[in-house]
Amino acid sequence: MFENVREFQVLAKTLNFNTAADQLHISQPTLTRHIASLEQELGFRLLERNPMGLTAQGRHYLLGCEEILSQYDGLVERCGAIARKSSEGIRLNMPFSGNSIWGDIFYRAVPEFMGRFPDVVEPYFIHDELSSIEQSIAAGVADVGIVFRRSDVEPPDCVCEKIAELPLAVFFSKNNPLGKKEVLQFEDLAGQYLLCSSNAKLQTLFEGAIDAFSRNGVKPKCRYRDFTDFDIVGFILKDDEIVFGNAANMLDRNVAAKLEGRLIGDGNARYPIYVMYRKHPAREKVADFVAICKRVASEIQSDNL
């Protein structure tokens, strides 16, 4: 893109077409033709020929070009680093929430993974708001994801494994009549609407909640709204709406300030967490990362039972 400009830089320092051509490994007539083409494109002369020297505008142009080319070279280097990271680093995907037990799995697994494999590119999160987590993994956009329901049809080269089951709690607004009950059964939720997001990335969270209803013999009534951040639920939940979560969230002051929480039944109701990942021979470290996730998830499950 800047071939002629770079050639001008060399010529400006040598002030000799033959010497500059030798340094650039091109012929002298080729260099002469390129510089003439550059001057014609710019609309002003960069060099005086007899004697050889920079024009006033040539000196100013040289200083500006050095700054521009330095910025451009830095940009190319940064983009190259991003490209290397995209091709080498393990790409993670999950629904984001500031109060998520499932988020702790990745957040604890990443530093442990880097401690064991310090020479590999650090795993990083992708931001794909247009696809579900399952879709992003099936398409090869992500390598590992946290989901809450096993797919009916497992995509080729993909594995979905349950790695934890945590106590299930239901959360609702402080004005919801459910707050009058100390213990809730699934049948108590039949008159409530399960709040769901129409956002693709959050889809797995609400599919897991719907699946929990179905497993316990209750057909949920769903109400969909467009939101992309699970943490906003505490602000938008209506008095006849509920969401599911982990019982540990009932102890979280940020959650408790906005919502009421109750265990389902005697606390034996569970919601499963799955890790979904791609098996690919070119990304062998994915299996190592998943193994760490499984162990971390087992520890988190033990801490929350």
Side-chain angles (χ1 to χ4, degrees):
M1 180 184 296
F2 295 108
E3 179 182 355
N4 290 355
V5 177
R6 295 188 191 278
E7 291 175 352
F8 167 68
Q9 278 188 303
V10 175
L11 179 59
K13 292 176 181 177
T14 62
L15 294 177
N16 185 290
F17 274 95
N18 289 322
T19 303
D22 288 341
Q23 292 182 13
L24 293 165
H25 305 291
I26 60 176
S27 68
Q28 182 270 326
T30 298
L31 177 59
T32 300
R33 186 170 64 253
H34 288 177
I35 297 302
S37 176
L38 177 61
E39 289 179 322
Q40 183 176 8
E41 180 182 344
L42 295 173
F44 51 81
R45 292 181 66 82
L46 297 169
L47 295 147
E48 299 290 357
R49 268 48 174 192
N50 290 306
M52 192 71 168
L54 290 169
T55 62
Q57 61 269 24
R59 287 191 295 272
H60 188 72
Y61 182 78
L62 177 64
L63 291 174
C65 285
E66 288 176 343
E67 181 178 351
I68 292 170
L69 289 174
S70 176
Q71 291 177 352
Y72 176 75
D73 291 340
L75 174 63
V76 171
E77 183 177 349
R78 292 192 298 274
C79 290
I82 292 171
R84 290 190 297 275
K85 182 178 180 181
S86 298
S87 63
E88 299 172 6
I90 298 173
R91 299 158 297 180
L92 310 177
N93 200 358
M94 72 172 188
F96 286 98
S97 169
N99 303 296
S100 68
I101 294 293
W102 67 83
D104 291 345
I105 296 172
F106 277 168
Y107 292 132
R108 286 167 56 175
V110 168
E112 182 173 331
F113 177 81
M114 292 309 299
R116 290 181 56 187
F117 305 102
D119 296 329
V120 304
V121 177
E122 183 174 359
Y124 65 100
F125 290 95
I126 67 163
H127 299 281
D128 180 10
E129 301 294 344
L130 301 179
S131 303
S132 69
I133 292 173
E134 292 89 338
Q135 289 169 340
S136 71
I137 294 171
V141 176
D143 298 303
V144 186
I146 295 292
V147 296
F148 297 86
R149 177 178 176 271
R150 191 187 298 275
S151 300
D152 296 328
V153 179
E154 206 163 272
D157 301 321
C158 293
V159 178
C160 189
E161 297 180 281
K162 185 190 297 183
I163 57 174
E165 282 191 315
L166 300 174
L168 180 64
V170 63
F171 294 87
F172 43 84
S173 74
K174 295 184 178 296
N175 295 324
N176 192 306
L178 292 176
K180 298 176 182 179
K181 294 179 177 284
E182 288 300 321
V183 178
L184 294 176
Q185 305 296 335
F186 269 96
E187 50 265 30
D188 295 323
L189 309 179
Q192 298 286 317
Y193 286 92
L194 184 64
L195 178 63
C196 299
S197 172
S198 57
N199 175 261
K201 187 160 187 174
L202 294 182
Q203 179 180 336
T204 183
L205 273 171
F206 301 100
E207 285 180 344
I210 293 170
D211 193 51
F213 264 99
S214 301
R215 290 197 316 269
N216 289 274
V218 178
K219 185 177 181 179
K221 298 188 297 182
C222 298
R223 186 175 285 164
Y224 288 87
R225 290 211 287 283
D226 182 22
F227 58 95
T228 60
D229 186 344
F230 188 74
D231 289 340
I232 203 174
V233 165
F235 297 96
I236 66 174
L237 201 65
K238 297 185 182 300
D239 293 343
D240 59 348
E241 296 174 341
I242 59 171
V243 291
F244 282 166
N246 179 257
N249 288 137
M250 291 191 294
L251 303 176
D252 189 292
R253 283 184 290 180
N254 291 327
V255 176
K258 306 177 187 71
L259 301 173
E260 293 280 347
R262 296 287 189 278
L263 283 172
I264 301 294
D266 57 4
N268 288 325
R270 298 282 185 266
Y271 80 92
I273 297 176
Y274 298 86
V275 61
M276 186 173 180
Y277 59 98
R278 289 179 58 82
K279 294 192 300 182
H280 195 286
R283 305 182 77 79
E284 70 277 0
K285 291 302 179 189
V286 168
D288 295 313
F289 182 78
V290 169
I292 293 173
C293 288
K294 290 178 181 179
R295 188 185 54 73
V296 169
S298 178
E299 293 175 355
I300 291 174
Q301 176 173 290
S302 298
D303 292 342
N304 284 273
L305 290 181

